[in-house]
Amino acid sequence: MAFFERFRVELGRYADGVHELGDPVPAAELAARALPEQLVDFYRSWDGARLFTDTATIVRLRDAAALPDGALRLGEWPEGALELDAGGRVRSRDDDGAVIVVGSTLERFLAAFMAREGLLVDREGEFKDVFDEESVEDKVREKQTRAALKADPDAAAWHLEAAERAFGDGDEAAAEAALARAVALDEGAAAAWALL
């Protein structure tokens, strides 16, 4: 099975219990739903996932609900709800309804998420010593941004994050370039438009 290969490798790096994955969905159940091929590939392997002890979840097939705009409610993560839009992109919707693309595909979103969280959590699921007071150290947050951009350079959220870091460092030219890339990738990225 070639699909979600990187995700499979990442899962193998952690001890039992750090991630919980559902059993594969039977082919007949998959055939009964009109799903994008990438979602069929995911559910063919796992009926839902709980990653890093519920830091992010992908819902079971029966709970993947259609949304009014043609997207599917896919799960949750610390930033809000995860949705798969009609174009196959993973987007995050916060409590205020703001939406941004966090994955150009589900597979790439999972690769970026695993890379980012892997900088915070060890093999056993315990937090690494990467926190100062109550937040993640700046150098680790920078590594998270770079890891996400490497895993999925076509997701607007990571360019927005890079822009915010560049603003913080006083590099307005880099920030502007990152914001321009973010809005080019996701015309609905309101936070990126506001900063731009």
Side-chain angles (χ1 to χ4, degrees):
M1 294 181 189
F3 46 85
F4 292 92
E5 195 57 43
R6 184 171 177 181
F7 182 55
R8 291 171 194 279
V9 169
E10 288 298 318
L11 290 171
R13 296 176 193 249
Y14 294 91
D16 289 344
V18 177
H19 310 294
E20 294 178 30
L21 299 151
D23 293 331
V25 174
E29 283 183 47
L30 286 170
R33 294 280 303 261
L35 296 171
E37 190 59 34
Q38 64 175 315
L39 212 47
V40 171
D41 288 345
F42 181 86
Y43 285 122
R44 191 178 288 146
S45 295
W46 310 282
D47 190 7
R50 301 172 91 71
L51 306 173
F52 292 102
T53 319
D54 290 339
T55 300
T57 59
I58 304 296
V59 298
R60 298 184 68 184
L61 175 62
R62 68 177 183 226
D63 299 322
L67 299 170
D69 64 355
L72 283 172
R73 173 67 186 248
L74 195 58
E76 295 194 17
W77 75 317
E79 307 303 318
L82 291 171
E83 304 169 352
L84 190 70
D85 74 12
R89 303 178 304 176
V90 177
R91 62 190 188 193
S92 176
R93 182 179 303 274
D94 69 17
D95 292 338
D96 297 327
V99 176
I100 190 164
V101 172
V102 293
S104 57
T105 66
L106 177 57
E107 188 166 8
R108 283 182 158 197
F109 166 74
L110 289 171
F113 177 76
M114 296 295 285
R116 290 168 63 83
E117 290 300 305
L119 292 166
L120 305 181
V121 177
D122 68 17
R123 182 184 187 291
E124 302 300 321
E126 300 295 327
F127 283 117
K128 296 178 180 177
D129 186 20
V130 294
F131 295 86
D132 52 18
E133 296 176 22
E134 292 184 16
S135 64
V136 177
E137 295 172 354
D138 281 344
K139 66 181 180 184
V140 177
R141 287 197 336 241
E142 184 176 341
K143 286 181 184 178
Q144 285 183 301
T145 301
R146 285 198 315 263
L149 282 167
K150 183 177 179 182
D152 192 355
D154 296 325
W158 314 134
H159 293 281
L160 173 59
E161 199 171 90
E164 290 168 340
R165 296 198 60 71
F167 273 129
D169 294 340
D171 189 345
E172 290 188 20
E176 187 174 337
L179 289 171
R181 181 71 177 136
V183 298
L185 291 167
D186 179 7
E187 63 286 345
W193 280 111
L195 281 176
L196 190 58

